[in-house]
């Protein structure tokens, strides 16, 4: 079994939704949108002999390979190293499902539809083993909702129980009777449980297990065509969070003139209280379909045509149902190349969209026969090449994780064309709106109390957005453009002028959203304006405070005196506004030999009872050579010195 | 007692006289108006080049332009000869050139704008009573004429001429030294320019020759600025642009030396004329919907089949590649954008104007809304009616003033003239190396003028309030400075 790949797979979507700290380099391979991760988990696949069976737990992202024999050997694989196990247990017959509790302490195991077993495992050996039987009902399945809390779904009821390992029994905490449960679907992060009830085939009951309670959220009928099949099957329903809201995705097979047209109906669970039909994905294809969710995009795989469609449900109206078509043309997944490195074992041939594929949420693809488990990944470069409308592209990319470099690359290419300045402005606005909401969220979090008491449900799912702050904009876009200009070494400063337009547009966008601009943006702008010798224009920018005051900028301005005589004036104004530049102002005035105004200024600012500045003034007056000024300063500093007739050394 | 009675008897007779002879009263009124001194008026204006007509008898060749045109050749030559002699004579005393000659009746101003070219303007001094208190006798009032103002007028005349015809020497060079073309160009330009010249209205603002910036907040300014960038990015043929709102500069892509000339031309000549023409066109068409083009310079109509290129060509100097440019001025309500397009052989195509119109109209209308809403949110503070100020930043040529509000009142005019004197004082101080100063001056009318100078900025205040102590005047000045000069370093 390969264990060495497990660290890497964390960068895929199965891992934390916070986004990887270091982004992979841009791939310029733009001919596909989706691929299965090169890092895979291998496991013992299902064999024809029936000796190996495989089951998967979505909640923990664990694959169980169960090899029957004298003893049953179980290998548990997962992208998370702490969730990988290997153990043996007594051979007791076929296993339908097995799931670890969230802390990996207890393993629940189902072999028949009227009993469940609990095991604890230490050092690969089963240490405790007890079971519970169900009478008069059939166990459809079970889910863990806490370390020791488990929910049984039987055909007649939902039972929340606490498992007590020490005494080897379970206690019912809560029980809810339901009339004929067909199947269930569970979303573990917030313990949402969707059950199909009744005989109509399209009635659903949405429940949430919370604080040792089973809460009924809503009972509703899904609006699907039941002509072609009797009931909605659990394979056709996905319960997951898309764009920060729990959604129920239902495959709908519409029979139109004897042709089956498929669509995906999306129900949104609003504020965990109301279920509403909000979106319909138009597929316009026939075939066998499976769903995945990658980075808030809904992927519809068609096994027959061997293509996948990508849907984005950002456009949402509050009243009507929104109909969506694919973001891009349907295309096949990227062909999978197995890594050659794995020793003498010949790489297995992977057939894409094979019949042995099973999709799990959000983005897991499993080939049960070969024994591979992959994460489905987006190839953003493919989208960059296909989405021609740049604004739409940036909007799309801003909602994806790990898209920073793609966005900055797109922005750079737009910024290089002066004719696209208007578009660039709008794109900056888009990016900065995202940036601002990130900043606001950040401030809110800083101010508010630790997030435990208020609304734990809302905090479970944090929408990920790609935030491009000023420093990444600076390093990824502006500095690169500037470097290119430095390389070109022509006398023409047109490029520099264009870059200053770009920077001003960016500053304008920040100012519109009242985000303070960072000094390095200004520094680059000033550099460009000095290169193009647009000093008067720089003067105007400073005059209207388009460039913020900083001491370093004031000092930079002072250094420009030889090239632009007005810059000391600007520097003095800036120091005055800053309110902390009194010492610098005094030095500047002394350097300009404005001894008397210097003395007056310092006394106005710091009062008459200090000695350093007056002495400096006296020195400056002496060097200045103007006897009247010297005398005036001397008289002011020391009025008793009239008798002191010593002439200054002129 | 008897004296009193006697005098009252005289008044009575006078009263009777006024009442019974209205004609006489009218005469009296006229004589009263005549008691106002005459205004400053031009006597002559001429340009000559000392390199020409050096041999005796051919001195006329020196003269490139002479106003009035119908002056006798002998008089012209005498004037030129006299000017040349004065210049030569003055050279003996000072390395600096001769600036002005004061005579009893006239003042002669000298300017050598380019090597060997001299521009001379002679003005008649006002003639009238010495002051309102003196009832009898008239005199030439040389003291009422500030030389600096008219020197500035002469400089402006040159810079405007240069804007339209380019440097004088370059025209001579282009024609192998032949003066015919230059003479023709000078004649074409100055005969119209001098017609519009109102010498009597010139004041300290002419001395500064600055531009007024529109006060804007950061966001609105950045939007305006980015709009200008957008225009230049979308129309690469546009090399430079200016944006103005209601006679105030919002953004200048030109350098100060060029922008002040263009600004003066657009604000004082082009826009008023356009306004008048539009008004007349509206009146003439009497309500029928004549579509007025938004191009102040450019085609009269965008659908004209016969189109001729009418944009003025202007010479810009302080840029990387000096030369002539088409000046296209486009106006939406109070917002004016001036575009400078390099002049080459081909005239501007009508298609370009159409594209500009489509691009500019909507965007400028949006910008106007933003500027207006800002100005509504931040109205300008007004000062006490008896104080007036003028501000000038020598570095970016920004001026701001409240002088125009009380024009025409003789004592107010005297105060404004006093400001020029304060300014001269400050200029001299700066030359000596004193960069910050404060000067108070009490007039014979018991009014005050204050001049402050610091950090290359000048601020002058006229206080038309009597019986103020120095302390009180200082307070008034301080308050105005605090109100008007925010966020800058201004310490005297």
């Amino acid at each position: 079994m390969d264990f060495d790949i497990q660290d890497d797979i964390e960068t895929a979507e199965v891992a934390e939704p916070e986004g990887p700290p270091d982004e992979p380099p841009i791939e310029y391979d733009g001919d596909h949108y989706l691929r299965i991760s090169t890092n895979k988990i291998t496991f013992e696949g299902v064999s024809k002999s029936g000796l190996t069976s495989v089951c998967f737990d979505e909640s923990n992202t664990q694959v169980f390979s169960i090899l029957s024999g004298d003893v049953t050997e179980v290998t548990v694989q997962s992208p998370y190293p702490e969730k990988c196990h290997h153990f043996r247990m007594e051979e007791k017959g076929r296993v339908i499902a097995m799931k670890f509790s969230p802390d990996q302490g207890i393993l629940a195991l189902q072999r028949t539809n009227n009993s469940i077993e609990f095991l604890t495992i230490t050092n690969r050996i089963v240490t405790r083993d007890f079971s519970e039987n169900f009478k008069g009902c059939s166990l459809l399945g079970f889910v863990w909702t806490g370390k020791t809390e488990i929910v049984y779904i039987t055909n007649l009821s939902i039972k929340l129980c606490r498992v007590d390992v020490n005494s080897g029994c379970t206690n019912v905490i809560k029980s809810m009777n339901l009339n004929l449960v067909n199947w269930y679907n569970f979303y573990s992060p917030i313990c949402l449980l969707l059950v199909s009830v009744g005989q109509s085939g399209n009635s659903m009951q949405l429940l949430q297990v919370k604080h040792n309670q089973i809460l009924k959220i809503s009972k509703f009928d899904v609006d699907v065509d039941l002509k072609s099949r009797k009931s909605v099957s659990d394979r056709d329903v996905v319960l997951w969070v898309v764009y920060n809201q729990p959604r129920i995705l239902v495959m709908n097979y519409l029979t139109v003139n004897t042709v089956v047209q498929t669509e995906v109906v999306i129900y949104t669970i609003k504020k965990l209280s109301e279920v509403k039909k909000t979106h319909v994905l138009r597929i316009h294809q026939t075939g066998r379909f499976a769903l995945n969710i990658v980075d808030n995009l809904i992927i519809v795989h068609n096994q027959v045509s061997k293509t996948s469609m990508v849907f984005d449900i950002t456009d949402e109206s509050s009243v009507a149902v929104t109909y969506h078509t694919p973001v891009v043309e349907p295309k096949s997944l990227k062909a999978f190349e197995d890594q050659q490195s794995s020793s003498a074992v010949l790489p297995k041939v992977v057939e894409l969209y094979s019949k042995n594929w099973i999709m799990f949420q959000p983005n897991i693809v499993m080939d049960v026969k070969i024994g591979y488990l992959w994460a489905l990944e987006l190839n953003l470069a493919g989208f960059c090449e296909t989405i021609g409308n740049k604004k739409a592209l940036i909007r799309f990319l801003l909602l994806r994780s790990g898209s920073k470099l793609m966005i900055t690359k797109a922005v750079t290419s737009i910024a290089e064309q002066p004719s696209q300045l208007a578009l660039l402005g709008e794109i900056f606005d888009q990016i900065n709106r995202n940036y601002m909401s990130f900043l606001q969220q950040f401030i809110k979090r800083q101010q508010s109390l630790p997030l435990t008491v208020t609304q734990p449900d809302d905090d479970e799912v944090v929408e990920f957005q790609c935030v491009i702050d000023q420093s990444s904009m600076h390093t990824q876009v502006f500095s690169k453009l500037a470097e290119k200009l430095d390389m070109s070494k022509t006398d023409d400063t047109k490029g520099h002028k264009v870059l200053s337009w770009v920077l001003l547009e960016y500053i304008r966008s920040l100012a519109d959203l009242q985000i303070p601009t960072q000094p390095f943006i200004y520094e680059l702008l000033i550099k460009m304006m000095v290169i193009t010798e647009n000093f008067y224009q720089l003067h105007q920018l400073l005059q209207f405070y388009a460039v913020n005051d900083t001491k370093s900028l004031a000092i930079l301005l002072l250094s420009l005196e030889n090239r632009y005589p007005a810059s000391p004036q600007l520097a003095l104004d800036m120091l005055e506004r800053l309110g902390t530049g009194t010492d610098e102002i005094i030095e500047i005035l002394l350097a300009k030999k404005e001894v008397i105004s210097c003395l007056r200024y310092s006394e106005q600012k710091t009062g008459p009872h200090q000695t350093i500045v007056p002495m400096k003034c006296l020195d400056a007056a002496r060097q200045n050579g103007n006897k009247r000024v010297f005398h005036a300063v001397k008289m002011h500093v020391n009025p008793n010195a009239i008798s002191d007739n010593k002439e200054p050394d002129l | 007692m008897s004296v009193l009675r006697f005098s009252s008897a005289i008044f009575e007779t006078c009263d009777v006289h006024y009442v019974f002879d209205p004609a006489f009263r009218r005469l009296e009124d006229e004589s009263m108006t005549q008691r106002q001194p005459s205004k400053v008026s031009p006597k002559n204006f001429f340009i000559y080049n000392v390199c020409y007509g050096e041999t005796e008898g051919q001195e006329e060749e020196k003269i490139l332009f002479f106003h009035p045109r119908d002056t006798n050749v002998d008089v012209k030559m005498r004037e030129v000869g006299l000017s040349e002699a004065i210049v030569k004579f003055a050279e003996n005393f000072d390395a600096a050139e001769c600036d002005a000659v004061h005579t009893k009746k006239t003042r002669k101003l000298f300017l050598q704008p380019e090597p060997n070219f001299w521009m001379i303007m002679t003005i008649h001094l006002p003639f009238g009573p010495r002051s309102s208190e003196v009832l009898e006798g008239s005199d030439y009032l040389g003291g009422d004429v500030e030389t600096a103002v008219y020197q500035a007028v002469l400089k402006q005349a040159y810079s405007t001429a240069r804007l339209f015809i380019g440097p004088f020497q370059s025209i001579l060079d282009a024609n192998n030294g032949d003066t015919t073309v230059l003479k023709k160009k000078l004649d074409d330009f100055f005969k119209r320019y001098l017609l519009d010249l109102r010498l009597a209205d010139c004041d300290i603002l002419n001395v500064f020759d600055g531009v007024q910036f529109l006060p804007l907040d950061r966001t609105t300014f950045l939007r305006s600025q980015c709009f200008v960038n957008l225009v230049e990015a979308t129309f690469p043929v546009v090399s430079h642009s200016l944006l103005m709102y209601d006679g105030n500069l919002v953004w200048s892509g030109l350098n100060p030396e060029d922008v002040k000339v263009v600004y003066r031309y657009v604000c004082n000549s082009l826009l008023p004329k356009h306004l008048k023409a539009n008004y007349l066109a509206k009146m003439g068409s009497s309500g029928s919907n004549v579509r007025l083009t938004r191009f102040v310079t450019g085609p009269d109509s965008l659908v004209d089949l016969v189109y001729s290129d009418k944009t003025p060509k202007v010479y810009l100097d302080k840029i990387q590649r000096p030369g002539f440019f088409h000046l296209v001025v486009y106006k939406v309500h109070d917002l004016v954008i001036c575009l400078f397009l390099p002049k080459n052989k081909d005239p501007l195509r009508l298609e370009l104007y159409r594209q500009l119109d489509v691009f500019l109209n909507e965007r400028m209308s949006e910008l106007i809304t933003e500027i207006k809403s800002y100005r509504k949110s931040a109205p300008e503070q007004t000062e006490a009616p008896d104080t007036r100020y003028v501000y000038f930043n020598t570095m970016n040529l920004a001026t701001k003033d409240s002088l125009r509000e009380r024009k025409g009142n003789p004592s107010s005019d005297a105060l404004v003239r006093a400001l020029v004197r304060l300014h001269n004082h400050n200029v001299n101080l700066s030359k000596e190396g004193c960069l910050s100063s404060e000067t108070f001056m009490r007039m014979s009318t018991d009014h005050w003028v204050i001049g402050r100078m610091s950090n290359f900025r000048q601020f002058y205040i006229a206080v038309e309030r009597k019986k103020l102590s120095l302390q009180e005047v200082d307070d008034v000045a301080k308050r105005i400075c605090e109100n008007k000069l925010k966020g800058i370093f201004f310490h005297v």
Side-chain angles (χ1 to χ4, degrees), chain A residues 391-404:
Chain A
K391 255 175 90 177
L393 173 67
I394 300 288
R395 203 180 65 140
F396 176 86
L397 289 176
L398 278 172
L399 292 164
R400 308 283 83 83
S401 61
S403 60
K404 231 180 201 179

Side-chain angles (χ1 to χ4, degrees), chain B residues 326-427:
Chain B
H326 294 276
L327 170 59
V328 176
V329 181
Y330 185 85
K331 183 170 182 271
V332 180
H333 301 293
D334 283 337
L335 193 63
V336 175
I337 189 163
C338 307
L339 308 171
F340 297 87
L341 297 80
K343 188 193 162 203
N344 43 29
K345 280 172 208 150
D346 307 316
L348 298 177
R349 284 170 304 112
L350 194 59
E351 185 53 33
L352 176 70
Y353 288 109
R354 284 204 198 101
Q355 288 168 353
L356 279 170
D357 187 50
V358 170
F359 184 85
L360 294 173
N361 189 16
E362 196 182 317
R363 286 181 172 82
M364 281 172 75
S365 306
E366 281 168 19
L367 196 56
I368 289 170
T369 326
E370 277 172 37
I371 293 176
K372 272 190 182 156
S373 76
Y374 167 71
R375 285 171 69 82
K376 218 174 261 174
S377 70
E380 287 248 337
Q381 286 179 323
T382 48
E383 292 301 322
D386 56 356
T387 58
R388 284 177 299 159
Y389 71 92
V390 54
Y391 160 82
F392 180 60
N393 182 347
T394 49
M395 284 304 177
N396 68 349
L397 306 183
T399 57
K400 215 171 167 183
D401 73 286
S402 60
L403 293 184
R404 305 280 188 225
E405 285 152 26
R406 283 165 65 93
K407 195 107 195 186
N409 177 340
S411 68
S412 303
D413 287 354
L415 277 182
V416 174
R417 276 199 302 276
L419 297 182
V420 181
R421 240 168 287 158
L422 279 181
H423 174 64
N424 288 343
H425 175 67
N426 279 343
V427 169

Side-chain angles (χ1 to χ4, degrees), chain A residues 418 422 497 501 504 508 512 522 536-537 540 543-546 566 569 572-573 576-577 585 597 600 604, chain B residues 213-214 218-219 221 223 225 229-230 232-233 251-254 393 395-396 436 455 457 487 489 491-492:
Chain A
K497 196 173 181 182
W501 291 343
L504 278 163
R508 194 266 318 143
D512 276 358
Y522 293 133
Y536 192 49
Q537 286 66 41
Q540 292 172 65
Q543 196 178 325
F544 287 97
Y545 313 136
Q569 182 189 57
L572 275 177
D573 291 347
E576 170 81 4
R577 281 195 295 270
I585 290 177
S597 25
R600 276 203 197 127
Q604 189 191 330
Chain B
F213 282 97
L214 187 74
R218 183 167 185 255
T219 337
F221 172 75
R223 291 211 180 151
Q225 209 288 316
N229 293 346
L230 191 59
E232 290 186 23
W251 173 256
S252 161
L254 296 178
N393 182 347
M395 284 304 177
N396 68 349
S436 64
N455 197 15
R457 292 186 174 92
F489 179 88
H491 291 276
V492 287

Side-chain angles (χ1 to χ4, degrees), chain A residues 108-109 114-118 130-132 134 139 142 150 152:
Chain A
L109 189 150
N114 55 18
S115 74
I116 185 164
E117 292 167 42
F118 295 97
F130 58 97
S131 64
E132 190 179 341
F134 295 85
L139 180 66
F142 59 92
I150 193 163
Y152 304 132

Side-chain angles (χ1 to χ4, degrees), chain B residues 194-218:
Chain B
L194 294 175
L195 213 63
D196 291 340
L197 195 60
R198 303 263 173 275
L199 281 184
D201 293 341
C202 295
D203 57 21
I204 191 166
L205 291 174
N206 294 74
V207 179
F208 295 148
D209 198 14
V211 292
Q212 286 202 35
F213 282 97
L214 187 74
L216 280 181
D217 66 329
R218 183 167 185 255

Side-chain angles (χ1 to χ4, degrees), chain A residues 169-188:
Chain A
C169 64
T170 61
N171 310 310
V172 178
I173 303 169
K174 208 80 198 175
S175 175
M176 178 187 282
N177 291 329
L178 287 172
N179 183 21
L180 188 59
V181 177
N182 303 311
W183 49 261
Y184 71 96
N185 206 325
F186 183 64
Y187 179 66
S188 58

